[in-house]
Amino acid sequence: MEPLLCFLGEDPRTPWVKARMSGYQPGNLDTATHIILPVPAFDRQGNIRGGPPLGEFTRCFRPGLTIFGGNLGPCLAPAAEAGTAAIDLLADESLTAANAAVTAEGAVGLAMAHLTITLAGAPVLVIGWGRIGKLLSRKLQALGARVTVSARRPQDLAMLQALGYATEITGNWKHLPDYRVIFNTVPAPVLEDTAATNPKCLLIELASAPGGIAPTGSRTLLQAQGLPGKTAPETAGNLVAEAILRHLTEGGKI
């Protein structure tokens, strides 16, 4: 059966997702076989971003319907009850890896736009050694920044030192006054008191809400979650479309 696609809600990536998937027939809430939501799909009130309330949306759930979107938690229970498949795109490893690269590039651009100094030669701290932390540290190092990376696991600290990075133990800070930029990638409280940082330090929060940096004191804190859709919506939209297309063409694998 040919898929019938219905787009519900909107974010900066949506126009590019629609363009990549324009070869598929459109449907509506009653006829669609697949409904495509934003990534992430819901706002803090549990409503679809740029779309209808959750209750209005769930009334269309039925067997044979598939929903795509990011962070689908609010609709998982009603979807399961109605026999509707829910595909969380943020659980797609290929998409998350590609998004991490876009996030790292966007974070570098954001820092450049807000600093009064160059990143070359600047002491910077990257908190966390996950996907984003690894890619961001590499980009900063290539620009000539003096990069310190913090982690907790001994094996991560050993690898960081082998790669030539200075290191700190996350949460056990020794050099906070030294850094002009601190990027956080850890989605848990890690820097709850910024008073010990350099007064000129730029704090950039990349982790999902509530993030790891507490907005205390007079330091500049940039909430930079969701950078792919903000700084490179065309690239990010194409990546979302590719993830959906993989599902449609590979028999449900994602």
Side-chain angles (χ1 to χ4, degrees), residues 120-148:
V124 303
L125 171 66
V126 176
I127 303 175
W129 188 237
R131 290 186 187 90
I132 295 172
K134 290 172 182 175
L135 292 164
L136 177 57
S137 300
R138 182 178 177 184
K139 289 182 181 296
L140 291 166
Q141 192 176 57
L143 288 168
R146 291 156 47 204
V147 183
T148 298

Side-chain angles (χ1 to χ4, degrees), residues 75-188:
C75 72
L76 290 180
E81 185 177 345
T84 292
I87 308 297
D88 195 329
L89 296 173
L90 291 179
D92 181 323
E93 290 292 332
S94 298
L95 177 59
T96 7
N99 268 338
V102 182
T103 298
E105 183 173 317
V108 170
L110 196 62
M112 287 178 167
H114 286 81
L115 285 171
T116 56
I117 60 172
T118 62
L119 280 172
V124 303
L125 171 66
V126 176
I127 303 175
W129 188 237
R131 290 186 187 90
I132 295 172
K134 290 172 182 175
L135 292 164
L136 177 57
S137 300
R138 182 178 177 184
K139 289 182 181 296
L140 291 166
Q141 192 176 57
L143 288 168
R146 291 156 47 204
V147 183
T148 298
V149 184
S150 81
R152 283 199 174 103
R153 299 194 306 170
Q155 57 267 45
D156 288 340
L157 292 167
M159 177 57 72
L160 285 163
Q161 290 163 8
L163 291 171
Y165 295 108
T167 60
E168 288 229 49
I169 299 173
T170 301
N172 186 20
W173 310 112
K174 303 293 185 185
H175 304 287
L176 283 181
D178 297 342
Y179 307 117
R180 285 298 299 268
V181 191
I182 297 176
F183 301 88
N184 178 58
T185 71
V186 177

